[in-house]
Amino acid sequence: MKLVYVFDAYCGWSHGFSATLSEIVSRHPDLPVEVVSGGLFTGGRRVPIREFGYVQGANAQIAEQTGARFGEAYERLIADGSFVMDSEAAARGVAAVRQVAPHRAAELATALQHAFYVDGLSLSEAATYRTVAQAAGLDADAVVAAFEAPEAQSAAHADFRRAAQHGVSAFPTLLAVDSEHVVPLALGHATADEVDRRLANLS
C-alpha cells in the first residue's frame, strides 16, 4: 500500500494540511507517499487574485482550524491583488522537485507551499525553485532545469489526469492506494490521529 497525496500548491487548505502530512510521513517512514498536483487554477481560473474575494476569509478559517501560518509577504500579495495563481506552473515545479528527489516529494511539496504562503514567492518563477532546492540541499541547477524543461508541462498535465482518474475534485485529498482499492483518508482537513485511525481500519 502507498499514500497518494493530491493537492494544489496554490490551495490554502492544502497549505493547512501540511503539518498533518508531515506528521503522517514521520509516523510511517516505510509507507511510500506519491504527490500529485490537482490543477485548481488553470484555464479561465488563472486570473488576478483579487477576483477571488473569498481568499482572506478562507485563510482566516484555515489558520483557525489548522494553525497554519500566512506570512507578511504573502499578505502583501493578497492586498495588492494583481498576482495570478497558475496551477500549471506550480505543478511543473512539483514535478521538477519530485524528479530530483522522489523520496522527499511530500516534504518538498510542503516547502513549496511555505515559499508561497509564508515567503510570498511566485511558484511560476524559476528563482523560487532554486531557493527551495538550495534550502533543501538539492542540486538547484538540476531542479531549475527540470522546471524549465518541456517535459515538465507533460508531467503537470499527467498529474491533473491522475487526480481526475482517482475521482479527486477537491484539495487536499489523501488516499490509501493498493492494487485493488483506493480509500480516502482525508478530505480537506484531518488530524494525523484521524488519518492513523483510518489507516488502522485498513489493516
Side-chain angles (χ1 to χ4, degrees):
M1 183 178 70
K2 66 180 176 182
L3 300 181
V4 176
Y5 179 56
V6 187
F7 87 124
D8 191 286
Y10 278 128
C11 167
W13 283 104
S14 295
H15 174 55
F17 194 77
S18 291
T20 295
L21 180 67
S22 297
E23 180 64 20
I24 290 297
V25 171
S26 175
R27 291 183 186 184
H28 302 278
D30 298 327
L31 199 57
V33 182
E34 182 178 346
V35 175
V36 178
S37 294
L40 184 57
F41 298 103
T42 58
R45 287 177 60 81
R46 283 185 284 202
V47 295
I49 203 167
R50 70 170 65 90
E51 298 197 21
F52 299 101
Y54 58 82
V55 167
Q56 286 174 307
N59 289 347
Q61 185 180 3
I62 292 163
E64 181 180 354
Q65 289 195 25
T66 70
R69 185 166 72 89
F70 295 86
E72 291 182 7
Y74 166 76
E75 296 290 357
R76 286 194 294 271
L77 275 185
I78 297 295
D80 174 76
S82 62
F83 183 78
V84 176
M85 295 181 289
D86 181 349
S87 290
E88 182 182 287
R92 285 168 41 220
V94 171
V97 297
R98 191 175 60 202
Q99 176 182 320
V100 173
H103 300 300
R104 297 174 64 187
E107 168 201 343
L108 293 166
T110 293
L112 291 178
Q113 294 219 276
H114 188 281
F116 176 61
Y117 280 104
V118 178
D119 299 333
L121 300 178
S122 170
L123 300 179
S124 295
E125 300 293 334
T128 297
Y129 299 97
R130 180 173 296 281
T131 297
V132 170
Q134 289 171 339
L138 301 178
D139 182 337
D141 289 339
V143 170
V144 169
F147 171 68
E148 294 178 334
E151 292 81 7
Q153 185 176 31
S154 300
H157 291 172
D159 271 19
F160 299 162
R161 289 193 298 273
R162 182 92 189 282
Q165 287 164 359
H166 280 313
V168 175
S169 58
F171 314 112
T173 295
L174 183 66
L175 305 169
V177 178
D178 63 21
S179 58
E180 298 179 358
H181 303 99
V182 176
V183 179
L185 299 174
L187 301 170
H189 173 59
T191 67
D193 288 342
E194 288 169 341
V195 172
D196 264 354
R197 285 195 291 272
R198 292 163 192 160
L199 272 172
N201 289 335
L202 300 178
S203 58

